[in-house]
Amino acid sequence: MINFEYHSPTKVIFGKDTETKVGEEVKAWGGHKVMVVYGSGHVKKTGLLDRVHKSLTDAGLSYVDLGGVVPNPLLGLVKEGTRIAKAEGVDFLLAVGGGSVIDTAKGIGYSLANDFELEELLMKRKTTDKIAPIGSVLTIAAAGSETSNSMVITIEDGGLKRSYNHDCARPKFAIMNPELTYTLPAYQTASGASDIMMHTMERYFTNTPNVELVDRIAEGILVSVREAAKAAIKNSEDYEARATLMWAGSLSHNGLTGTGRVTDFATHKLEHELGGMFNVAHGAGLCAVWGSWARYVYKTNPARFAQFAVKVFDVPENFHDLEATALAGIEAWENWCHQIGMPISMAELGIDPTDAQVEDMAEKCMQVGGGSIGFFQPLYKDDVIKIYQNAR
Ligand code: NZQ
Ligand code: ZN
């Protein structure tokens, strides 16, 4: 186990009807004028937005709404929201939705607390530890932004999907009522579950030795999500499955499963370029490239892939051929993706990048990673091109 710092301060308020507590919670964190950020409208249809408004009003708080966040959220709306928030004297950002909504709130929070444009952070030209306070009412188990230190925003000009990570961006609180996720379409449930799996897998595929404790935690999360995803897709109102997915979403991306080890995150970098260029659902994009990544790198440490196969997908261990066990685990992951309706190639994802687009995405990966991506096996531009090509 290597040295680490673990900072996960977000207060989690979990369970049925917990969204009614949102007003008192914002008040407790010192909010007076709240910007309620939401997406393309499901929160209006379900009545959740009305309930949130009522809770804020009951707590004596005033608010202004900012709707219209789209998946793979855009910098333009962050700027529009910042302009309104400044004009209205907003001092608390409340995200009601998923990762895209929470990340938009984080973007506005950074913009309010700093005197430079958000793209300076996204393009790594500046850093900051200042952000306006944020809370969330989560409606989809997926990105983990409700407790993560990360913000992912797409700069429209050039389709650059970029992130900025700092512990200051961990929200003050996250309200998680699994019932709010009953209305998710199966595709979004599956895409979210895949993202949750991937957040733990990006940390699980490591060459750091002596990490058994966190391996067992990670394997517990992965096996639980593997089953809960299938159950939630079969019956969208399966409370226990929804609860498992929701809590796992936070535990997978609050840093816990990365403690004491070097993490990878190459697959996320590969996907973010797909999201920026083709606007695909994030979790589905991860599924489309992971198998190609895995087959490209597994020989670096076949034992780790074999462990994944045996512990997460119950693949029988072949003591005479570790690589065969490793490959069977990759196949088992792909079968699981198909069982829940996720793609395992870019063709199945519905995109067909040209060679020039592949080259462009690989170049952008290099810019993001500073010359290489990933740590399990560092990948350079030619490697990335091959991984994209093998994922066709
Ligand atoms: O727009 P609305 O109406 O909210 O609809 C959303 C959206 O269409 C819908 N939805 C959400 N909850 C629902 C619902 N529909 C019906 N019933 C509900 N209860 O689902 C769609 C997807 O929403 P989105 O917020 O985009 O999903 P997700 O949470 O997967 O977030 C994806 C974004 O987060 C980024 C991704 O790259 C992507 O931009 N990520 C953020 C991370 C972070 N900040 O830590 C880490 C992740 O790795 C990821 O990169
Ligand atoms: Zn992710």
Side-chain angles (χ1 to χ4, degrees):
M1 213 191 283
I2 58 173
N3 292 5
F4 66 88
E5 293 186 9
Y6 176 55
H7 178 80
S8 184
T10 304
K11 177 177 176 185
V12 172
I13 303 163
F14 196 98
K16 295 179 182 179
D17 299 327
T18 44
E19 66 273 18
T20 57
K21 298 183 177 175
V22 68
E24 288 303 326
E25 202 55 39
V26 172
K27 198 159 130 186
W29 288 102
H32 298 93
K33 181 72 183 263
V34 184
M35 175 169 268
V36 182
V37 185
Y38 58 93
S40 311
H42 91 268
V43 294
K44 280 191 178 166
K45 259 188 258 159
T46 59
L48 175 61
L49 192 62
D50 288 340
R51 298 206 295 285
V52 167
H53 285 161
K54 180 174 182 320
S55 180
L56 294 173
T57 306
D58 288 350
L61 304 174
S62 56
Y63 59 83
V64 55
D65 281 349
L66 180 77
V69 176
V70 292
N72 298 316
L74 301 173
L75 181 62
L77 190 70
V78 173
K79 295 202 181 237
E80 170 71 0
T82 305
R83 192 186 57 70
I84 296 168
K86 283 182 179 164
E88 297 275 346
V90 165
D91 59 11
F92 198 97
L93 283 313
L94 178 64
V96 185
S100 298
V101 172
I102 301 170
D103 287 357
T104 298
K106 288 180 178 179
I108 297 168
Y110 276 124
S111 305
L112 290 179
N114 296 282
D115 58 4
F116 49 77
E117 299 293 326
L118 192 69
E119 46 268 53
E120 298 299 305
L121 290 181
L122 295 170
M123 297 309 290
K124 311 272 184 283
R125 292 191 287 259
K126 279 199 190 321
T127 60
T128 184
D129 60 0
K130 292 186 184 57
I131 190 167
I134 292 154
S136 75
V137 178
L138 189 65
T139 64
I140 172 172
S145 186
E146 67 279 3
T147 56
S148 84
N149 67 354
S150 185
M151 163 194 68
V152 188
I153 298 287
T154 298
I155 302 173
E156 293 88 331
D157 188 8
L160 301 175
K161 188 171 178 180
R162 292 290 177 267
S163 61
Y164 179 72
N165 299 342
H166 193 285
D167 277 339
C168 71
R170 294 187 194 269
K172 300 294 182 201
F173 66 83
I175 289 183
M176 301 191 207
N177 175 357
E179 289 181 326
L180 298 181
T181 65
Y182 287 174
T183 50
L184 276 167
Y187 189 82
Q188 288 296 343
T189 298
S191 177
S194 309
D195 192 20
I196 295 169
M197 295 284 270
M198 283 300 318
H199 289 156
T200 287
M201 287 156 65
E202 295 273 24
R203 294 165 166 102
Y204 188 82
F205 287 98
T206 184
N207 301 309
T208 309
N210 304 318
V211 290
E212 286 76 14
L213 167 64
V214 177
D215 273 358
R216 296 296 91 78
I217 296 172
E219 288 154 2
I221 290 172
L222 290 169
V223 170
S224 303
V225 173
R226 182 193 79 185
E227 292 309 307
K230 288 190 277 188
I233 287 165
K234 196 165 162 208
N235 171 12
S236 84
E237 300 196 4
D238 181 332
Y239 181 84
E240 296 305 333
R242 292 294 190 186
T244 297
L245 291 175
M246 201 169 227
W247 188 215
S250 289
L251 295 177
S252 285
H253 205 38
N254 72 358
L256 175 66
T257 56
T259 50
R261 61 179 67 207
V262 176
T263 61
D264 187 63
F265 278 94
T267 309
H268 265 71
K269 299 210 166 49
L270 295 166
E271 192 289 326
H272 280 173
E273 298 313 326
L274 294 182
M277 193 174 281
F278 298 101
N279 197 25
V280 295
H282 171 61
L286 293 168
C287 292
V289 290
W290 187 81
S292 176
W293 170 84
R295 289 192 179 85
Y296 197 83
V297 305
Y298 79 96
K299 287 189 176 158
T300 296
N301 187 345
R304 188 125 278 265
F305 272 90
Q307 182 180 321
F308 172 76
V310 173
K311 300 280 190 187
V312 180
F313 280 105
D314 306 324
V315 172
E317 186 165 357
N318 181 340
F319 292 102
H320 304 291
D321 192 346
L322 215 52
E323 290 195 7
T325 310
L327 286 169
I330 297 169
E331 214 172 292
W333 156 267
E334 290 179 331
N335 288 338
W336 176 80
C337 290
H338 276 163
Q339 281 168 15
I340 63 166
M342 284 288 103
I344 60 166
S345 66
M346 296 199 285
E348 288 185 10
L349 181 62
I351 62 171
D352 182 17
T354 63
D355 288 347
Q357 285 172 322
V358 164
E359 163 105 22
D360 188 25
M361 290 192 293
E363 182 56 40
K364 286 174 176 164
C365 281
M366 293 304 103
Q367 286 163 12
V368 168
S372 67
I373 60 168
F375 294 95
F376 184 77
Q377 178 185 318
L379 302 168
Y380 301 90
K381 188 173 170 184
D382 284 351
D383 302 312
V384 170
I385 288 174
K386 284 184 195 133
I387 290 171
Y388 278 132
Q389 281 169 344
N390 294 344
R392 286 179 192 278

